Amino acid sequence: MLSQHGGWSVTAEDMTPIGVWSDMVEDNHGLKVTGRLADTNRGQDAYTLMKMDPRPAISGLSIGYYAREVENGTKMGDPRRIKRIDLVEISLVTRPANEKARV
């Protein structure tokens, strides 16, 4: 579990996990994950940001992956379909690419 995809590896601290994922399962909605934040300053900071009122400062999830099998659209502008990936990491993020990817 990283924060903001590790901040693009600017420092070693950026790539230090803030927790661990304990369970992952694909359901009818997508990938469902369960995890636990670390009892560290960064883990506690992430927890505080997720619990802010009137709205959380961090409430999104995002994956880092390598596309291993892709099906391209037949016409210009058609979306590609990613059929197989290697999942590298899952991060807590401020703005997920998929608005439905939430904590």
Side-chain angles (χ1 to χ4, degrees), residues 12-32:
E13 183 182 45
D14 292 332
M15 292 306 291
T16 301
I18 60 168
V20 295
W21 298 111
S22 55
D23 191 46
M24 295 181 197
V25 63
E26 190 172 358
D27 64 16
N28 291 334
H29 299 284
L31 182 62
K32 181 179 179 180

Side-chain angles (χ1 to χ4, degrees), residues 24-71:
M24 295 181 197
V25 63
E26 190 172 358
D27 64 16
N28 291 334
H29 299 284
L31 182 62
K32 181 179 179 180
V33 295
T34 305
R36 183 179 185 134
L37 292 165
D39 188 17
T40 61
N41 289 338
R42 293 181 72 233
Q44 292 168 2
D45 288 347
Y47 180 82
T48 298
L49 292 167
M50 289 190 299
K51 296 296 183 181
M52 287 184 71
D53 189 39
R55 67 189 163 280
I58 292 179
S59 64
L61 294 171
S62 185
I63 63 171
Y65 64 93
Y66 295 110
R68 296 299 183 197
E69 186 178 348
V70 177
E71 185 178 277

